[in-house]
Amino acid sequence: MSRIENQFTVHFWGVRGSIPCPGPHTVRYGGNTPCVEMQVGGRRLIFDGGTGLHVLGQSLLSNMPIEAHVFFTHSHWDHMQGFPFFSPGFVKGNTFHIYGAIAPDGSTIEQRLNDQMLHPNFPVPLQIMQANLDFYDVISGRPIHIHDITIETAPLNHPGEAVGYRVNWRGGAIAYITDTEHYSDRLDENALRLARNADILIYDCTYTDEEYNSPIQPKIGWGHSTWQEGVKIARSANVKTLVIFHHDPSHDDEFLDRVGQEATQKFPGAIMAHEGMVLQVPVPIPLSESFPIRKFSTYRLQSEQL
């Protein structure tokens, strides 16, 4: 067995929210918008297609042909603007299985990716991509099975809707919960369920509590949460590592340093997401004792019937 087939890792290619913000004040944490790659038992899962997807794509060009599963939380621009610049998508022989929920207006993820590449917004259409692109509609609350990987889904509290994901493999789990806004009177049950006993929780910590509740320009209703709420979720869900993610574009490196210091005082397992960071999940269940394999084709047939 190769080393990669026995690993469960997560690699951060874009950790910023709302808009890319490259420059001298964001060097250490990075300025690219969301893109998170997981290597799960030799299979590649990609979450969101912000500008970090372009950087990931450049790194993959020497490893083709590539097969990957790409999951979109939603289609706000910062989560899909890197897709037209994803170089492996233009190379014949690569295969990408692309997942996203149907939007409130009824459009599929395929339609929305197509629309952002239409004239006059982009010089070439989606159809010029030479890779094999398969599209699937995600139904929040229904799991997705890819061989022996189970991916749980749940709706998040975000304008225009969004989907949260939890990746389970051989007893290890990573929860990816962005973009979402917490509730003032309770913890989000969907977030708690996805985060339960997770090895790693990647959570939307765009603001601080002070910013969120600012009397001058409050962020209430903007669809994002705070690192303090992330700590509450992590504690209540018995999470091992909380990754503070989706940094506001106005937060420079020094600001994020301070957030990291305060967060680790409240929750020792808290760490700040930065571009290039790689985390590994210990997998307690040996491969020989792993869960029964459920082929990807099974989910595909189910998807087509829904």
Side-chain angles (χ1 to χ4, degrees):
M1 183 185 302
S2 68
R3 183 169 175 265
I4 195 171
E5 290 176 341
N6 202 35
Q7 286 190 345
F8 188 179
T9 62
V10 55
H11 190 144
F12 294 83
W13 295 93
V15 302
R16 195 68 62 162
S18 302
I19 189 172
C21 52
H25 302 297
T26 59
V27 171
R28 283 187 280 113
Y29 291 94
N32 281 301
T33 55
C35 182
V36 171
E37 175 195 24
M38 298 185 197
Q39 289 280 355
V40 189
R43 293 181 175 85
R44 178 175 281 109
L45 313 182
I46 301 170
F47 292 85
D48 279 325
T51 56
L53 183 65
H54 168 69
V55 187
L56 168 58
Q58 296 303 110
S59 77
L60 295 176
L61 291 177
S62 60
N63 297 311
M64 294 187 293
I66 299 161
E67 181 175 12
H69 300 264
V70 184
F71 299 85
F72 285 92
T73 54
H74 62 310
S75 57
H76 284 167
W77 199 18
D78 54 329
H79 291 254
M80 62 188 293
Q81 63 194 152
F83 189 79
F85 302 93
F86 183 50
S87 298
F90 293 87
V91 179
K92 189 174 182 179
N94 293 333
T95 298
F96 299 100
H97 310 282
I98 301 172
Y99 306 76
I102 295 176
D105 67 355
S107 62
T108 66
I109 189 62
E110 179 178 10
Q111 290 172 315
R112 283 170 279 153
L113 290 172
N114 176 79
D115 289 351
Q116 77 163 343
M117 295 177 67
L118 293 177
H119 286 297
N121 299 323
F122 201 72
V124 296
L126 176 72
Q127 291 71 26
I128 206 169
M129 287 186 163
Q130 295 298 300
N132 182 34
L133 306 179
D134 294 326
F135 294 90
Y136 305 90
D137 297 329
V138 171
I139 299 177
S140 288
R142 294 194 183 184
I144 301 166
H145 300 285
I146 302 173
H147 294 268
D148 59 344
I149 305 166
T150 298
I151 302 165
E152 298 175 49
T153 64
L156 301 178
N157 182 29
H158 191 66
E161 302 182 357
V163 179
Y165 296 96
R166 174 189 171 101
V167 180
N168 303 286
W169 184 65
R170 292 175 53 194
I174 299 177
Y176 181 70
I177 303 176
T178 192
D179 295 19
T180 195
E181 184 168 356
H182 58 277
Y183 297 101
S184 61
D185 59 345
R186 67 191 187 280
L187 295 179
D188 187 335
E189 292 182 2
N190 289 329
L192 287 172
R193 180 168 60 83
L194 291 176
R196 70 190 187 282
N197 301 313
D199 295 281
I200 297 172
L201 165 60
I202 304 165
Y203 186 76
D204 179 348
C205 298
T206 302
Y207 306 121
T208 66
D209 277 353
E210 294 75 18
E211 290 173 315
Y212 184 81
N213 296 298
S214 168
I216 300 174
Q217 190 181 34
K219 310 299 183 182
I220 299 168
W222 288 30
H224 298 286
S225 192
T226 71
W227 69 261
Q228 289 95 336
E229 291 294 328
V231 167
K232 292 178 184 178
I233 293 286
R235 283 176 175 166
S236 297
N238 193 36
V239 167
K240 295 180 179 67
T241 299
L242 167 65
V243 179
I244 294 173
F245 183 74
H246 204 274
H247 307 314
D248 187 271
S250 68
H251 294 171
D252 61 17
D253 289 336
E254 291 186 2
F255 187 99
L256 294 178
D257 283 343
R258 292 193 295 273
V259 169
Q261 293 169 1
E262 293 179 30
T264 53
Q265 290 174 1
K266 299 289 185 180
F267 187 77
I271 59 176
M272 301 295 291
H274 64 82
E275 289 182 25
M277 182 172 75
V278 179
L279 303 177
Q280 185 163 339
V281 174
V283 282
I285 300 176
L287 188 59
S288 60
E289 300 177 16
S290 188
F291 304 106
I293 292 177
R294 302 182 67 171
K295 296 294 186 182
F296 170 68
S297 57
T298 301
Y299 172 73
R300 182 174 184 177
L301 290 172
Q302 291 174 345
S303 296
E304 293 171 348
Q305 293 169 358
L306 296 174

